[in-house]
Amino acid sequence: MESKMLSPAALIFLFLLLCRAAADSDSDLTAELLALQSRSQSGVIHLDDHSISRFLTSQKTPRPYSILIFFDAEQLHDKPELHLTALKKEFALLSSSFIANNQDNPIARSKLFFCEIEFKQSQSSFALFGVNSLPHIRLVGPHVRSLKESDQMDQGDFSRLAESMAEFIESRTKISVGPITRPPIVSKMQIMFIVAILLVWSPFMIKRVWAGETLLHDKKVWLFGAVFVYFFSVAGTMHNIIRKMPMFLADRNDPSKLVFFYQGSGMQLGAEGFAVGFLYTIVGVLMALVTHLLVKVRNLAVQRVVMILALLISFWAVKKVVYLDNWKTGYGVHAFWPSSW
């Protein structure tokens, strides 16, 4: 039986039909993602193994969208050193800010979607991405075929939270996220309540200030405040707050034990900072005592005894700080005497 070949016009028509079907499929997927996005308060879409297959692995490249995925594990939320809960909130803030900043740009909104997957629900997807540690964020671009080859956000970039995530997106996709809109720390009702309290209290406060009977007129308050600021500074507390460092960690070999000092220069626990700050504060207070109070003592014997004790305690405290630094970094501190002596 003789087969009939299709005419060139029929081939072109068939090709156009296939292209139209592919375009309709892409638009359907994008519309489905937009629908899922609208159901989420922050715009973050929750995915599982089935939806990973539907929107990523089973679709031919190039896909019409990029997907930024936050990998989560609820059983690890109680691990303070991972900061998963805080990073998840920052990821949701990033998503809501992107949607708010691109309300008038539907093309950009349809090019990037923010998603999350949970370990217990999507263990196969974790294996497809090759994720074996958290926190972890991946950007799957339109041309990515193997999920393991998708762009991974560096661990060091998590320190600046949503802002660093936005920079990661813009450097990879050239899509502008826009400014991160954070909710105000104090609500309008709280501000109105505080203002009302201040207005009621202001006459009494003005009276006490005029009479010099406030805490700000007490020298002891300024003294303890100065010591507190000094301790706060030398203990590296700002570093711990910015980096959100935990006070201690659980021992990996024995979870019932706690680790207060971490060996390694790349990490400092809160307990380490407080210990060093306490030692530095001892030295600072002793130096202030010697230079401001001891000089007023007329008894030379008392001056000498207190001076010797202050020097011995200061030497012990500094020695402990040097020992801790040597233990953490491996660098030793040695005495140096000039050759001319």
Side-chain angles (χ1 to χ4, degrees), residues 2-280:
E2 186 179 357
S3 59
K4 295 182 179 180
M5 296 182 63
L6 295 175
S7 63
L11 289 174
I12 294 175
F13 179 73
L14 181 60
F15 176 75
L16 293 175
L17 285 178
L18 292 175
C19 293
R20 178 64 181 273
D24 290 341
S25 177
D26 289 344
S27 61
D28 291 342
L29 289 173
T30 303
E32 187 174 348
L33 285 171
L34 289 171
L36 293 173
Q37 182 187 80
S38 63
R39 297 173 191 171
S40 173
Q41 183 176 0
S42 62
V44 177
I45 303 171
H46 184 78
L47 301 179
D48 53 21
D49 291 337
H50 173 73
S51 49
I52 287 288
S53 174
R54 172 166 177 74
F55 296 115
L56 292 176
T57 56
S58 63
Q59 301 301 322
K60 295 181 179 180
T61 57
R63 291 176 288 270
Y65 46 74
S66 297
I67 293 182
L68 187 71
I69 303 177
F70 179 84
F71 293 84
D72 188 24
E74 293 184 358
Q75 67 268 28
L76 298 179
H77 282 188
D78 58 344
K79 302 292 184 181
E81 65 273 14
L82 297 179
H83 309 297
L84 282 179
T85 304
L87 290 173
K88 188 175 181 179
K89 292 180 180 178
E90 290 292 316
F91 189 81
L93 184 64
L94 175 70
S95 173
S96 60
S97 299
F98 171 76
I99 295 173
N101 295 330
N102 291 277
Q103 284 288 351
D104 300 329
N105 190 359
I107 297 178
R109 287 187 57 184
S110 64
K111 295 295 182 181
L112 177 64
F113 294 94
F114 298 82
C115 304
E116 63 175 359
I117 58 176
E118 206 278 327
F119 177 72
K120 286 186 177 180
Q121 303 173 4
S122 311
Q123 295 187 25
S124 299
S125 297
F126 270 66
L128 287 175
F129 281 94
V131 177
N132 50 26
S133 64
L134 297 178
H136 199 99
I137 292 179
R138 286 287 186 92
L139 177 65
V140 184
H143 299 277
V144 173
R145 295 182 179 179
S146 174
L147 297 183
K148 290 184 178 180
E149 298 176 356
S150 55
D151 292 324
Q152 175 184 348
M153 188 172 174
D154 294 335
Q155 293 285 337
D157 292 336
F158 288 108
S159 59
R160 293 182 52 242
L161 305 175
E163 283 75 13
S164 58
M165 298 179 193
E167 292 178 0
F168 172 74
I169 294 172
E170 293 173 356
S171 64
R172 298 300 193 281
T173 64
K174 308 304 179 184
I175 298 175
S176 177
V177 176
I180 304 300
T181 306
R182 297 184 179 276
I185 300 176
V186 182
S187 64
K188 292 183 179 179
M189 290 298 298
Q190 291 174 332
I191 293 176
M192 294 175 62
F193 179 76
I194 293 173
V195 170
I197 294 295
L198 290 176
L199 290 175
V200 173
W201 190 46
S202 57
F204 303 97
M205 186 62 187
I206 293 173
K207 181 180 179 181
R208 292 182 66 87
V209 170
W210 187 263
E213 299 176 351
T214 65
L215 290 176
L216 297 179
H217 293 84
D218 191 346
K219 295 181 179 179
K220 295 179 181 179
V221 173
W222 287 98
L223 175 61
F224 286 109
V227 174
F228 173 77
V229 171
Y230 179 81
F231 173 82
F232 186 87
S233 302
V234 298
T237 311
M238 285 302 300
H239 169 273
N240 296 334
I241 293 175
I242 294 172
R243 298 283 183 174
K244 297 186 177 180
M245 303 304 297
M247 288 295 297
F248 50 82
L249 297 175
D251 194 339
R252 294 181 179 179
N253 299 324
D254 187 0
S256 62
K257 295 182 180 180
L258 299 178
V259 176
F260 295 94
F261 293 87
Y262 183 86
Q263 189 171 15
S265 59
M267 183 177 181
Q268 174 184 304
L269 298 177
E272 294 180 39
F274 284 156
V276 175
F278 176 73
L279 294 173
Y280 273 126

